[in-house]
């Protein structure tokens, strides 16, 4: 009996050892190959930067194998990076000029199209003044330095009930090459012939107020806003989203119809509906004239509305081409839905988004 009992125990022990050996686990690393991450780089305009950053954040959560980096350095910086091949795409507010477009064409076919609608707003820091109206000429005179004090008769005439102080006006502007500056100065040239003759429009201009000791320059929209906030009796221009984020006071501007309006979704959409017919084909982006988009017709149209653009190539290496096509297709469809739009921007009308979608679909692998 003892011998039989020992044999049974031996058989059971051997059986248990065999079960243990067959249950040897395998790790995921042994069975699942790692998926390659595709990296896309962009730089340029700070005008759309908050919106681009939100799109990237949402997109990467559902597409973890695509990593997108965007550096806001101004439209001029982005255009140069794109030209030099340092980035895969560039954000640019004013359209690329023909001379640069021709340089780009030596490397390949560039594409340029709108991705979002924004507005350049005039913001100010005057204690105890919560409402301020300005017309184009008066605004141009302020930024030229012709109007020195806040209680100047031209400002008082537009704001008879405001408690305007006898304080010198400090003008804050961009110090870097900026699409926001290009848009703003182009508007000032439209409403003031004197401004056009003495200052002109551009991504960089010589501000007369700097020589008068009443001008301050800030890098990027964020830099301008920071200076304005810490400088009493100052005035500046920036993108609407930055003004809303920082809860800045905004000027009501007199539009082409003679009405004083502030920038909001309604007044921006009114302007877009009046000017969208002027958008050229993406393969001929340099033909866009931002003067046609400013000071638009319409009772409720805000006068300084502009499209912000993306600059792409029509061909990329295979993996990058597919990732870029998928991302910008998402931007022009899901990305335009209200829940994916940052406060201060307005999504593209469907017919405008379709212009960009056709261009994105045409991108090829090489």
């Amino acid at each position: 009996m003892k011998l039989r009992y020992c044999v049974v125990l031996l058989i059971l022990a051997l059986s248990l050892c065999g079960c243990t050996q067959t249950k040897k686990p395998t790790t995921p690393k042994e069975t699942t190959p790692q998926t390659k991450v595709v990296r896309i780089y962009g730089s340029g305009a700070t005008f759309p930067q908050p919106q681009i950053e939100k799109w990237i954040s949402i997109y990467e959560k559902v597409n973890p194998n695509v990593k997108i980096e965007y550096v806001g350095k101004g439209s001029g910086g982005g255009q140069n990076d794109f030209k030099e091949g340092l980035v895969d795409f560039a954000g640019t507010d004013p359209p690329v000029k023909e001379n640069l477009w021709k340089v780009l064409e030596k490397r390949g076919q560039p594409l340029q199209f709108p991705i979002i609608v924004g507005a350049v707003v005039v913001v100010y820091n005057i204690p105890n003044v919560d409402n301020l109206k300005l017309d184009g000429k008066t605004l141009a005179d302020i930024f030229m330095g012709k109007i020195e004090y806040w209680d100047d008769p031209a400002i008082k005439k537009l704001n008879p009930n405001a408690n305007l102080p006898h304080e010198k006006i400090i003008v804050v502007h961009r110090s870097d090459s900026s699409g926001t500056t290009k848009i703003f100065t182009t508007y000032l040239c439209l409403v003031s012939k004197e401004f056009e003759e003495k200052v002109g429009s551009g991504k960089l201009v010589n501000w007369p107020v700097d020589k008068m000791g009443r001008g301050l320059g800030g890098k990027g929209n964020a830099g301008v806003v920071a200076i304005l906030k810490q400088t009493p009796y100052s005035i500046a221009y920036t993108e609407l989203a930055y003004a809303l984020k920082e809860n800045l006071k905004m000027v009501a501007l007199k539009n082409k119809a003679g009405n004083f309006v502030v920038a909001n979704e309604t007044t921006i959409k009114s302007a877009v509906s009046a000017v969208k017919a002027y958008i050229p084909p993406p393969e001929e982006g340099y033909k866009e004239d931002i003067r046609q988009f400013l000071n638009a017709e319409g009772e409720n149209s805000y006068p300084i509305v502009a499209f912000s653009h993306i600059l792409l190539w029509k061909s990329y290496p295979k993996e990058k081409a597919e990732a870029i096509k998928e991302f910008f297709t998402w931007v022009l469809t899901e990305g335009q839905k209200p829940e994916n739009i940052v406060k201060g921007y307005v999504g593209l009308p469907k017919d405008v988004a379709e212009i960009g979608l056709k261009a994105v679909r045409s991108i090829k692998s090489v």
Side-chain angles (χ1 to χ4, degrees), residues 45 75-76 78-79 90-102 104 110-114 177-180 182-183 186 201-203 278-294 305-311:
S75 294
Q79 289 179 8
T92 178
D93 300 324
V96 173
K97 290 185 177 180
E98 185 175 6
N99 57 347
L100 176 56
W101 193 269
K102 296 304 180 185
L104 296 176
L111 301 169
Q112 179 183 266
F113 53 84
S177 179
S178 159
T180 307
K182 173 66 175 178
I183 293 165
T186 300
S201 65
K203 293 192 287 289
Y278 299 120
I279 303 170
E283 293 81 3
E284 299 178 333
Y286 69 91
K287 291 184 176 180
E288 183 175 315
D289 181 0
I290 64 171
R291 295 173 72 96
Q292 295 176 315
F293 296 89
L294 298 169
V305 169
F307 292 112
S308 194
H309 307 82
I310 283 294
L311 192 58

Side-chain angles (χ1 to χ4, degrees), residues 184-205:
F184 183 64
T185 54
T186 300
Y187 167 73
L188 293 182
C189 287
L190 285 173
V191 295
S192 170
K193 188 174 181 180
E194 185 179 1
F195 188 92
E196 184 170 28
E197 292 172 349
K198 292 183 177 179
V199 183
S201 65
K203 293 192 287 289
L204 276 171
V205 299

Side-chain angles (χ1 to χ4, degrees), residues 4 19 35 45 55 60 109 118 121 148 183 225 236 268 277 282 303 352:
R4 184 181 297 174
C19 291
T35 306
W55 282 333
E60 286 185 343
Q109 173 63 60
V121 295
E148 187 175 3
I183 293 165
V225 168
I268 292 172
V352 175

Side-chain angles (χ1 to χ4, degrees), residues 18 24 33 42 52 70 117 163 177 182 187 245 283 285 292 303 327 332 336 344 346 351 358:
K24 183 180 178 181
I52 292 175
Y70 183 80
V117 183
N163 185 26
S177 179
K182 173 66 175 178
Y187 167 73
K245 181 181 178 182
E283 293 81 3
Q292 295 176 315
F327 174 60
L332 292 164
Q336 300 296 317
V346 174
D351 51 352
K358 288 180 180 178

